[in-house]
Amino acid sequence: MSINLSAFFYLISAVCFVFSLKGLSSAATSRNGNLYGMCGMVIAILTTLLTPGIDQYRWIVLAIAIGGGIGAFIAKNIAMTALPQLVAAFHSLVGLAAVFVAAAALYAPGIFHIGMEGHIGFTSLFEMGLGSIIGAITFTGSIVAFGKLQGLITGKPLIFPQQHKLNALIGVGVVVLLLLFISTSSSFFFWVMTILAFALGFLLILPIGGADMPVVISMLNSYSGWAAAGIGFTLNNNLLIITGALVGASGAILSYIMCKGMNRSIFNVILGGFGTDPAAASSDAAAGQSDKPIKVSSGEDAAYIMGNASSVIIVPGYGMAVAQAQHVLREMVDLLKQKGVKVRYAIHPVAGRMPGHMNVLLAEANVPYDEVLELEEINHDFSSTDVAFVIGANDITNPAAKTDTSSPIYGMPILDVENARTVLFVKRSLASGYAGVDNELFYRDNTLMVLGDAKKVCEQILKTLKE
């Protein structure tokens, strides 16, 4: 295949990726978006394999078979609750691949047509150095995010004295080493720079609390895109440059939207300087409000209350995901609608462990898209709603975000479920949410706690409604 023909098919592939992003912007068109993305990737792979100079097909096909087999197995067996950490793990591989490609280009520049060993151009050295730095930060940062989401690392911020100064010092060191690498093309400076970037990835993500993980996932996605784009310049591959830029830009835009939804600063995300204050979180959790009286209800009572209501708003959270309750929840809602109850779903932009987590779960249960509303669309309706049915959504419904200036979630927009006439809160226990903050909504006069597994509670409600 000629170079011009390769460029043409790469352009088609890039267009497919653009349409994929457009499709993924809406739940209603997300399936088509996925199809466009798959088509674009197939075209890109076939075009690359037919490019002049590619001849080691045995190893390439073997690598594709191994990677594709692992990917197919994971896709078939992964639980929806584990999807966020899976995304973080995949991001880490993109970052590590960028480091390996940069190292390969450094030791065998002739293969990549960027010069000879020891005589590589300034621009190529800058591209591979920057790609390796971003890739290394993405790799270790994503590993930490995976550990936090998987529960291998505590969701609480891990902060030590002078941490930000150390991060700044390492950051300056990485920049200095990049300049030295560009001026000398020394492999020694390259590896020291890369090792420091690996360390910086750990240190940037460790101080970020669990409640902010959705933003972290989005930001690491952006990092992986920029790493791929940087390596695309090294390889002189226009498709990799375009797709990397698309991923990087879309991830950055999504991170900005998420930050606005959480009232955070995008610059603090990039610098790893935000997250829960551990002192405040621990003191809040220690003080707690567990000594305050609560009203405990049952599934049967919840069924009676909702069955006699005129309007219900469902607020899904991570508790629904853990219990895999979305299917029985939809059945429960269908039965309520048959009884003439107006039912809608309220989605917070950071509900779950990654952007769009709740939307994906509800779409999996075939919940109509027009019934799923974002915070801005539905927040004002809680005051005129009979029942707010909160199913495992803790931090995003906590009124302390509006009233307690010492709270680590203060300033974060929340769903105003406390304004509903009755709040039915389904939760396993009175434990604090992922941010480590006690939810004062539990103790409101209009709140009834329905303690138990979300799926079992919904099954009990469904059974009672049928009877």
Side-chain angles (χ1 to χ4, degrees):
M1 183 181 293
S2 67
I3 296 178
N4 289 336
L5 196 58
S6 296
F8 173 73
F9 282 110
Y10 277 153
L11 179 61
I12 293 177
S13 180
V15 171
C16 287
F17 291 143
V18 172
F19 278 107
S20 176
L21 285 176
K22 179 177 175 59
L24 292 172
S25 64
S26 168
T29 58
S30 59
R31 291 182 184 274
N32 289 335
N34 275 318
L35 289 175
Y36 276 119
M38 288 187 285
C39 290
M41 186 55 67
V42 169
I43 294 172
I45 292 174
L46 291 177
T47 303
T48 301
L49 291 177
L50 296 175
T51 299
I54 302 296
D55 53 11
Q56 297 295 327
Y57 289 108
R58 293 180 304 169
W59 299 108
I60 295 174
V61 172
L62 178 62
I64 292 176
I66 294 173
I70 294 173
F73 176 80
I74 292 175
K76 187 175 181 179
N77 294 279
I78 191 71
M80 290 301 298
T81 49
L83 192 60
Q85 48 264 51
L86 177 66
V87 171
F90 282 170
H91 288 167
S92 73
L93 297 179
V94 175
L96 190 60
V99 174
F100 284 161
V101 172
L106 176 62
Y107 286 103
I111 296 177
F112 298 92
H113 308 293
I114 57 175
M116 301 299 292
E117 188 171 354
H119 298 85
I120 304 174
F122 168 86
T123 303
S124 297
L125 289 171
F126 174 76
E127 291 164 359
M128 71 175 69
L130 189 61
S132 181
I133 290 171
I134 299 175
I137 293 174
T138 302
F139 174 70
T140 50
S142 297
I143 291 297
V144 174
F146 171 83
K148 284 178 175 283
L149 293 167
Q150 187 68 16
L152 303 175
I153 303 174
T154 177
K156 295 180 180 179
L158 299 176
I159 298 177
F160 54 84
Q162 308 300 318
Q163 186 171 28
H164 292 299
K165 291 182 179 179
L166 176 61
N167 289 348
L169 182 63
I170 294 177
V172 171
V174 168
V175 173
V176 171
L177 287 166
L178 175 62
L179 296 176
L180 290 173
F181 169 66
I182 293 172
S183 61
T184 64
S185 69
S186 168
S187 59
F188 172 78
F189 289 130
F190 173 84
W191 286 115
V192 175
M193 170 189 72
T194 303
I195 290 171
L196 284 180
F198 279 131
L200 189 59
F202 275 116
L203 294 172
L204 285 175
I205 307 303
L206 281 175
I208 300 178
D212 297 320
M213 274 300 112
V215 183
V216 173
I217 293 291
S218 177
M219 202 67 228
L220 288 171
N221 177 48
S222 179
Y223 289 169
S224 67
W226 297 124
I231 295 303
F233 282 104
T234 301
L235 300 178
N236 195 27
N237 187 308
N238 292 332
L239 178 64
L240 199 54
I241 296 171
I242 294 172
T243 55
L246 285 173
V247 173
S250 60
I253 293 170
L254 179 58
S255 299
Y256 175 74
I257 294 172
M258 297 288 289
C259 285
K260 287 189 66 177
M262 298 181 69
N263 198 29
R264 305 291 193 186
S265 167
I266 185 67
F267 297 105
N268 285 339
V269 179
I270 296 173
L271 298 175
F274 78 111
T276 312
D277 178 3
S282 60
S283 62
D284 187 22
Q289 300 183 38
S290 57
D291 57 334
K292 292 186 177 182
I294 64 169
K295 297 178 181 178
V296 179
S297 187
S298 63
E300 292 86 348
D301 294 336
Y304 176 80
I305 293 171
M306 288 193 289
N308 288 279
S310 60
S311 60
V312 174
I313 296 179
I314 310 290
V315 180
Y318 192 64
M320 181 189 76
V322 171
Q324 288 289 284
Q326 61 270 25
H327 295 283
V328 66
L329 176 66
R330 183 192 58 79
E331 291 183 52
M332 182 192 83
V333 168
D334 288 345
L335 199 52
L336 286 173
K337 289 192 290 186
Q338 290 176 17
K339 294 178 177 292
V341 182
K342 179 182 179 181
V343 185
R344 292 170 295 169
Y345 298 80
I347 302 294
H348 192 281
V350 294
R353 294 293 184 268
M354 67 179 293
H357 198 181
M358 294 301 104
N359 300 75
V360 172
L361 290 173
L362 295 177
E364 182 194 25
N366 295 317
V367 172
Y369 299 130
D370 58 353
E371 294 179 6
V372 182
L373 303 175
E374 301 293 335
L375 181 147
E376 296 83 2
E377 299 174 294
I378 200 170
N379 227 13
H380 62 279
D381 290 347
F382 281 104
S383 58
S384 58
T385 297
D386 292 326
V387 179
F389 186 74
V390 184
I391 180 166
N394 202 331
D395 297 322
I396 61 172
T397 61
N398 193 340
K402 297 186 293 184
T403 59
D404 186 0
T405 57
S406 64
S407 174
I409 63 171
Y410 178 72
M412 183 179 81
I414 63 166
L415 290 165
D416 296 330
V417 297
E418 76 272 14
N419 294 334
R421 293 185 180 89
T422 302
V423 178
L424 294 172
F425 208 120
V426 180
K427 202 171 184 297
R428 292 177 183 269
S429 68
L430 297 179
S432 60
Y434 203 46
V437 181
D438 194 34
N439 194 343
E440 63 181 55
L441 181 62
F442 299 165
Y443 316 101
R444 295 290 180 94
D445 292 336
N446 62 331
T447 299
L448 296 175
M449 299 299 300
V450 186
L451 301 178
D453 177 81
K455 185 176 183 179
K456 292 181 179 178
V457 169
C458 288
E459 288 173 345
Q460 182 61 59
I461 293 173
L462 179 63
K463 179 181 178 182
T464 305
L465 286 173
K466 289 180 177 179
E467 293 174 351

